[in-house]
Amino acid sequence: MKKNIIHILLAAGLAAVSACTALHPDSKTLKTALKNDFYMGTAMNLPQIYGKDKKSVDIIKKQFNSIVAENCMKSMYLQPREGAFHFEDADRFVDFGEQNNMFIIGHTLIWHSQAPRWFFTDNVGKDVSPEVLKQRMKNHITTVMSRYKGRIKGWDVVNEAILEDGTYRKSKFYEILGEEFIPLAFQYAHEADPSAELYYNDYNEWYPAKKETVIQLIKKLKSKGLRIDAVGMQAHLGMDGPLIKEYETAIVDYAAAGVKVNITELDISPLPNPGKMTANISDTIAYREEINPYTHGLPKNIETEWENRYLDFFRLFLKHHDKIERVTVWGVADTDSWKNNFPVHGRTDYPLLFDRNYQEKPLVKKIIRLAEEQK
Ligand code: G3I
C-alpha cells in the first residue's frame, strides 16, 4: 500500500513537472513556438552541410524546420560547365533535410548572378540565340529539379529580376529573351516537378514601383495558367528602413494578388549605412572607426535598438501568419554571415540570432515569448 502511494506521488510529481515544462516558454525553441504560424528556416553553408561545423548543426536541428542552401545550388556550382553537373554538395544538403524532417527549399534556378558565363555565350564568346538560351534554361531546370523531385518542396525559380524602379534588370536572360524568360522558367519548373511549390524571390520588394511590377508578373503568370505559389521577400534589413508599415503594405498587397509570402534571407544589420557616413574617406582611421564601430561587441543601447527592430518585424510576421508560409534567416551565427563583407568588406556585423560563440542571443527567447503571447 505504502509502495503504491509512493508510486502515485512520484507519477503525479512527474506529470506536474512535464506540464510545467510544456507550458513554459523558456523550454520552447523557435520551430516549436512558431509551428502553428509558419516554418522557421535557415540557410546552410558547406561546413554545416558536411557536418564539420557541429555547433551550428546542433542549433539547426534544434531550432529550425526548414532549410535552404546558401550557395551550393546556384547554377555556377551545380553546372560549372555545360552538361557537367556537380551534385555532391546539393545531395548532402537534401539528405540532411530529409534526415531531420525539414521543409527543404531549392535556391535558385535562374539568377543573373553566380551563373556561369557559358550559359549565355557560344564557343566564340558571342551571346547565344533565344532558342539556345531557352534550351539551356530548360535543361538546367529539368535536370536539377528532376533529381530532387518530391524531395525539395519549393523552389526559388527566378531570383532578383526586377529593379527598385519597377523596370526589368538588364541581365543576360533579359537581353536575350526579354521579359518572357520568367514565364518560361516557371513553365519548365512546373513541368519538371508538378508537385513543387514555385516562388519568385527578390530584395526590396516593398519599394512601390518594384512591388507593382512583381504584382503584374504574378498576374501574368496566373493568366497564362502557370503555377506561382509565393513571393519570396528577401529581408536583408538595416536599422533605418524600411518602415514596418511599408513592409506590411507589401505583404498585404502580395497576398491580395493571390500568392503566399515567404520572408526569405532575413538578417538585420545594426551597423551604420555607408551612405550616411560623416568621416572623410581619406582620413582612414576615422573612417574605419565610423564604418566598423563595434569590433569588440555591440553596446547595450545598440543591441536593444536592434532587438526591438527584429521584434517589430516578428510582430508583423505573426500578425500576418495566415499570409506567410515561411520565415528564413540567412545563416545561423554572426561569424558566418555574408554581411561581414557587404556592403563593406571586413566589418564585424551582428545580423543573426546566434553570436560568434554560437550562443543563442537573448532575442531568441523574446521571439518565442512573443509567439506565445499571441496565442
Ligand atoms: O567558395 C569560395 C572559396 O573557395 C573561396 O576561398 C572564397 C574566397 O572569397 O570564396 C568562396 O566563394 C564565396 C561564396 O560566397 C561562398 O562562401 C564567394 O566569393 C562569395 O561571393 C559568395 O557570396 C555569396 C553571395 O550570395 C554571392 O552572390 C554569399 O555567401 C551568399 O550569402 C549570398 O546570398 C545571396 C542570395 O543567394 C540571393 N540574395 C542576396 C544574397 C546576399 O548576397
Side-chain angles (χ1 to χ4, degrees):
M1 181 63 183
K2 202 171 163 194
K3 227 175 170 183
N4 278 348
I5 291 174
I6 290 172
H7 278 154
I8 290 166
L9 286 174
L10 268 176
L14 277 176
V17 168
S18 66
C20 282
T21 318
L23 290 174
H24 201 284
D26 284 355
S27 67
K28 296 227 164 169
T29 63
L30 290 167
K31 70 176 175 190
T32 53
L34 294 161
K35 73 172 189 303
N36 295 326
D37 299 299
F38 34 72
Y39 287 110
M40 190 64 208
T42 183
M44 289 185 74
N45 60 26
L46 285 183
Q48 294 160 353
I49 289 168
Y50 279 92
K52 292 184 184 148
D53 176 359
K54 291 196 172 23
K55 290 181 179 165
S56 291
V57 169
D58 287 347
I59 294 170
I60 293 168
K61 289 182 183 171
K62 186 173 160 195
Q63 299 282 353
F64 300 101
N65 51 15
S66 175
I67 50 169
V68 59
E70 184 175 2
N71 283 302
C72 74
M73 297 190 74
K74 294 169 181 174
S75 59
M76 71 178 274
Y77 297 117
L78 281 184
Q79 198 182 175
R81 281 168 291 114
E82 186 167 18
F85 285 86
H86 167 82
F87 282 123
E88 201 185 324
D89 303 336
D91 285 355
R92 290 290 292 250
F93 163 75
V94 175
D95 287 347
F96 177 92
E98 286 188 329
Q99 282 156 15
N100 293 287
N101 259 327
M102 307 270 193
F103 189 75
I104 309 171
I105 304 300
H107 173 84
T108 171
L109 295 164
I110 297 295
W111 187 27
H112 67 282
S113 180
Q114 291 193 297
R117 221 178 103 70
W118 68 259
F119 218 109
F120 312 103
T121 49
D122 63 17
N123 49 14
V124 288
K126 287 227 171 76
D127 281 1
V128 291
S129 67
E131 282 315 307
V132 170
L133 184 55
K134 280 187 207 172
Q135 195 46 47
R136 288 180 179 176
M137 282 173 52
K138 184 169 188 180
N139 187 43
H140 183 78
I141 292 172
T142 308
T143 307
V144 173
M145 285 186 69
S146 302
R147 188 172 182 93
Y148 303 112
K149 195 170 181 170
R151 302 172 71 199
I152 290 192
K153 303 298 182 197
W155 285 91
D156 290 337
V157 179
V158 176
N159 197 38
E160 300 174 8
I162 294 162
L163 302 174
E164 280 86 340
D165 65 2
T167 63
Y168 278 71
R169 180 188 297 281
K170 306 302 173 286
S171 68
K172 280 290 168 198
F173 290 111
Y174 181 86
E175 280 175 14
I176 298 172
L177 286 169
E179 293 176 16
E180 282 311 297
F181 85 88
I182 303 182
L184 283 170
F186 277 80
Q187 179 197 319
Y188 301 149
H190 186 56
E191 285 166 2
D193 184 356
S195 69
E197 293 190 353
L198 306 181
Y199 317 130
Y200 174 74
N201 192 52
D202 210 329
Y203 57 82
N204 286 347
E205 280 168 307
W206 51 272
Y207 272 63
K210 183 163 186 163
K211 186 184 68 186
E212 278 318 307
T213 305
V214 175
I215 288 174
Q216 290 313 316
L217 171 64
I218 295 165
K219 289 186 174 156
K220 181 171 171 180
L221 293 174
K222 284 181 176 280
S223 73
K224 284 175 179 267
L226 293 167
R227 178 170 185 169
I228 174 165
D229 294 270
V231 162
M233 292 184 75
Q234 293 180 20
H236 299 297
L237 304 167
M239 300 301 288
D240 307 330
L243 300 173
I244 297 292
K245 187 74 209 136
E246 291 171 315
Y247 220 82
E248 178 167 34
T249 304
I251 292 173
V252 169
D253 290 353
Y254 288 130
V259 290
K260 287 272 187 185
V261 173
N262 293 325
I263 305 298
T264 62
E265 308 188 20
L266 173 61
D267 47 31
I268 304 184
S269 170
L271 297 189
N273 179 343
K276 296 195 171 164
M277 300 290 299
T278 55
N280 189 322
I281 196 157
S282 60
D283 185 349
T284 319
I285 295 176
Y287 182 79
R288 283 305 306 173
E289 276 176 8
E290 187 178 344
I291 204 156
N292 188 22
Y294 313 126
T295 50
H296 301 296
L298 273 189
K300 193 69 203 150
N301 61 327
I302 303 291
E303 188 185 340
T304 305
E305 280 174 34
W306 172 85
E307 268 190 351
N308 287 339
R309 186 141 168 86
Y310 249 108
L311 290 170
D312 285 346
F313 274 99
F314 267 91
R315 215 169 274 121
L316 176 70
F317 302 154
L318 285 163
K319 177 177 173 191
H320 293 289
H321 67 98
D322 58 326
K323 305 172 186 65
I324 294 175
E325 182 181 43
R326 168 171 57 94
V327 174
T328 291
V329 284
W330 204 236
V332 176
D334 285 340
T335 191
D336 296 320
S337 170
W338 75 293
K339 290 296 295 176
N340 293 303
N341 292 309
F342 187 89
V344 180
H345 189 81
R347 295 205 289 185
T348 307
D349 209 337
Y350 302 83
L352 295 171
L353 303 180
F354 295 83
D355 69 17
R356 284 184 156 65
N357 296 315
Y358 303 88
Q359 294 303 305
E360 180 179 305
K361 295 185 187 177
L363 173 63
V364 171
K365 287 282 184 286
K366 293 182 184 175
I367 293 171
I368 291 170
R369 283 177 183 273
L370 198 65
E372 296 293 309
E373 279 162 24
Q374 305 235 344
K375 297 264 162 353

